[in-house]
Amino acid sequence: QVQLVESGGGLVQAGGSLRLSCAASGNVFSINTMGWYRQTPGNQRELVAHISGASITNYADSVKGRFTISRDNAQNTVHLQMNNLKPEDTAVYYCNGELMIRDKSTAEYYYTDSWGQGTQVTVSS
């Protein structure tokens, strides 16, 4: 079973830092693209940061200069370093990735899209 597992959320004071991680497990050969999204109650999920297979990054204007997305291909993990956190960063953060899967029975490769379960980030003022 393929899944993305997030970790690193928690409670932090404004100005503090957190590092989120999203690890792919199961029969995952590699991560192609990965995005971090966040969602607050009553609002749509919004893209915070994105990293391509070639490690090209993009950020929402609201987090530019404060958040950094990076990838560890050897560990099939993507991180989101969040610095200078603000109360408005409070949300549930989700990772979403395009994963390359190797089918054990056929030895064929294919892509699938997967979401993590979400991790709560709370920034107090």
Side-chain angles (χ1 to χ4, degrees), residues 27-66:
N27 202 24
V28 177
F29 180 77
S30 66
I31 297 174
N32 186 21
T33 63
M34 179 70 77
W36 281 98
Y37 294 75
R38 64 188 181 188
Q39 188 171 24
T40 54
N43 293 308
Q44 290 188 337
R45 201 167 290 189
E46 63 169 352
L47 179 64
V48 174
H50 179 270
I51 188 166
S52 72
S55 294
I56 296 171
T57 58
N58 286 287
Y59 299 92
D61 288 343
S62 59
V63 306
K64 280 182 181 176
R66 300 188 297 121

Side-chain angles (χ1 to χ4, degrees), residues 80-91:
L80 184 68
Q81 178 67 42
M82 307 185 294
N83 298 328
N84 191 20
L85 283 160
K86 302 176 181 180
E88 51 263 43
D89 294 318
T90 296

Side-chain angles (χ1 to χ4, degrees), residues 70-122:
S70 62
R71 60 191 300 153
D72 181 341
N73 292 331
Q75 299 294 324
N76 274 340
T77 301
V78 176
H79 305 287
L80 184 68
Q81 178 67 42
M82 307 185 294
N83 298 328
N84 191 20
L85 283 160
K86 302 176 181 180
E88 51 263 43
D89 294 318
T90 296
V92 179
Y93 284 71
Y94 299 87
C95 59
N96 169 250
E98 183 182 46
L99 310 178
M100 179 181 280
I101 309 299
R102 183 178 182 273
D103 188 305
K104 288 183 177 179
S105 58
T106 65
E108 292 180 346
Y109 294 88
Y110 62 94
Y111 285 102
T112 189
D113 186 84
S114 183
W115 285 90
Q117 81 286 356
T119 185
Q120 176 71 46
V121 171
T122 303

